[in-house]
Amino acid sequence: MENVIIIKHPLIQHKISILRDQRTGTNEFRSLIEEIAMLMGYEALRDLPLEDVPVETPIEKCMTPMIAGKKLAVVPILRAGLGMVNGILALVPSAKVGHIGLYRDEETHEPHEYYCKLPTPIELRTIVATDPMLATGGSAVAAVDFIKKHGGKNIKFMCIIAAPEGVERLMKAHPDIQLYIGHLDRCLNENAYICPGLGDAGDRIFGTR
Ligand code: PRP
Ligand code: URA
């Protein structure tokens, strides 16, 4: 599928395997989510536009490339997407951060919105939406709907683990976005959890439940 990029870097694969291990505790889990987001961000941001700006080195004046225009907006989907923010900010410290609050109804698995605040002017920014898990795709579709409703155009969605069902649903609803995936897993189970997955990402990042 065009616009779906599975990042197969060995460092990312190795770190995802440690994430999956049920013995990995909150502290390590949180650090790994951040590191993986940074490694994925390095790949996902390789098309950021550059412009030549004047700089004076100790030797002479020159024109040299820097990131052009309005910078990035990182938009985590609460809660679990928050865990990926610092990884992206390590690459682009001047990025602005928006938030979209969604939770999955435990019975219907459909997303419910409880918060949305995005940096302006959102239409001029490259937007990196983050959520470690793309399961049914309901939350991702709703999040991208919100971003577009607020004027967002250039949207990259970054997830660490995806199920094929979610990839299909998201790209059917929003074929114009770029989807970056750390690992494409096998399927969903009857509770709409990703198999083999890593369990509940939000609970493992924040140490809840
Ligand atoms: C998880 C995850 C995604 C969503 C994925 O969040 O972080 O946002 O489920 O599932 P979907 O693709 O089927 O919509 P959850 O609703 O558990 O909320 P939390 O981040 O607050 O724990
Ligand atoms: N949300 C999670 O945190 N994990 C899953 O496997 C599915 C949805």
Side-chain angles (χ1 to χ4, degrees), residues 97-153:
V97 181
H99 296 88
I100 293 181
L102 292 174
Y103 69 89
R104 267 194 346 169
D105 184 291
E106 292 199 353
E107 300 284 311
T108 65
H109 309 131
E110 282 306 305
H112 291 268
E113 181 205 0
Y114 59 88
Y115 190 76
C116 185
K117 180 99 176 166
L118 300 176
T120 56
I122 195 71
E123 63 276 11
L124 299 182
R125 296 179 185 278
T126 297
I127 299 157
V128 178
T130 62
D131 193 331
M133 309 304 277
L134 177 63
T136 65
S139 306
V141 170
V144 176
D145 282 344
F146 290 139
I147 293 170
K148 286 185 174 174
K149 220 179 282 169
H150 284 78
K153 291 187 176 76

Side-chain angles (χ1 to χ4, degrees), residues 45 48 70-74 88 92 94-96 125-126 128:
L45 299 178
L48 278 185
K70 284 280 172 199
K71 300 261 183 353
L72 217 61
V74 186
I88 312 292
V92 189
S94 60
K96 301 283 190 276
R125 296 179 185 278
T126 297
V128 178

Side-chain angles (χ1 to χ4, degrees), residues 160-177:
I160 294 177
I161 294 183
E165 295 90 329
V167 176
E168 199 179 330
R169 182 166 169 189
L170 177 58
M171 297 316 287
K172 204 166 171 187
H174 296 293
D176 55 315
I177 69 166

Side-chain angles (χ1 to χ4, degrees), residues 19-20 29 33 133 160-161 185 194 196-201 204:
L19 273 188
R20 293 187 193 279
F29 192 90
I33 290 274
M133 309 304 277
I160 294 177
I161 294 183
D185 273 16
I194 300 175
L198 49 70
D200 188 305
R204 294 195 65 188

